[in-house]
Amino acid sequence: MPRRKKWEQGNVVEVELDDGSFSYGVVIEEPLVAFSEATFTERPEITTELFGKVAFQLWVMNSAIGKNGWPVIGDVPFKELSISEAMFYRYDIVSKKFYHYSDCTNHIPSTREACVGLECAAVWRKDHVEDRLQAHKEGGVCKWEESLRAENKP
């Protein structure tokens, strides 16, 4: 039996933060989600403008969206979004080498220096994304993000 797809490109999810405010994400392509820079105390109109400024893009676990995760509260026309392509890095602990990723399969050899500032090619849990969004809102550093930074790899 084929797996039931939980999300579609352009789906907008609502993420409630610890302080009671809301952040929003848009599905780029499963599992990639772009999260808006803005946070709100009430649900805004769901339009492409909501994603005019993106805080970050992450791969998220399937369980983060849907029945036991963030609700899908609307859709935006994906073709109207102007979100830059996500670039990730991966560190191979066996070979001690760094790589760049622009998707889930193609990797390019790289250096630690070139990977600094890129997102780690990791699939994030729902609660870790929520912690990161809250830290971002407060101008702080999220412990999960910190632990994955390229400059912290051996």
Side-chain angles (χ1 to χ4, degrees), residues 34-89:
F35 294 92
S36 176
E37 179 76 32
T39 58
F40 302 86
T41 55
E42 294 180 6
R43 183 179 292 169
E45 183 178 356
I46 305 304
T47 66
T48 55
E49 287 78 35
L50 185 59
F51 302 98
K53 288 190 178 183
V54 170
F56 48 83
Q57 298 180 56
L58 301 172
W59 293 334
V60 298
M61 289 185 170
N62 287 334
S63 61
I65 297 175
K67 184 178 177 184
N68 297 312
W70 309 312
V72 174
I73 54 134
D75 297 282
V76 294
F78 183 76
K79 292 184 188 307
E80 294 178 20
L81 292 172
S82 56
I83 297 174
S84 61
E85 182 179 22
M87 181 63 73
F88 298 93
Y89 88 89

Side-chain angles (χ1 to χ4, degrees), residues 5 7 9 22 38 43 48 52 56 67 74 90 94 98 101 105 107-108 113-114 116 130 134 153:
K5 194 165 186 169
W7 45 23
Q9 196 173 57
F22 297 93
R43 183 179 292 169
T48 55
F56 48 83
K67 184 178 177 184
R90 179 177 70 88
V94 175
F98 286 86
Y101 276 82
T105 56
H107 62 275
I108 302 163
E113 295 73 27
V116 169
E130 292 166 358
Q134 186 71 49
K153 301 298 177 196

Side-chain angles (χ1 to χ4, degrees), residues 129-142:
V129 175
E130 292 166 358
D131 289 349
R132 178 151 177 203
L133 286 165
Q134 186 71 49
H136 184 79
K137 177 185 178 186
E138 296 168 354
V141 177
C142 171

Side-chain angles (χ1 to χ4, degrees), residues 12 33 35-36 69 92 111 128-129 148:
V12 176
V33 178
F35 294 92
S36 176
D92 184 313
T111 64
H128 292 176
V129 175
L148 293 172

Side-chain angles (χ1 to χ4, degrees), residues 89 98 112 116 145-154:
Y89 88 89
F98 286 86
R112 176 195 320 262
V116 169
E145 176 190 9
E146 179 77 22
S147 71
L148 293 172
R149 288 185 179 168
E151 57 266 35
N152 295 333
K153 301 298 177 196

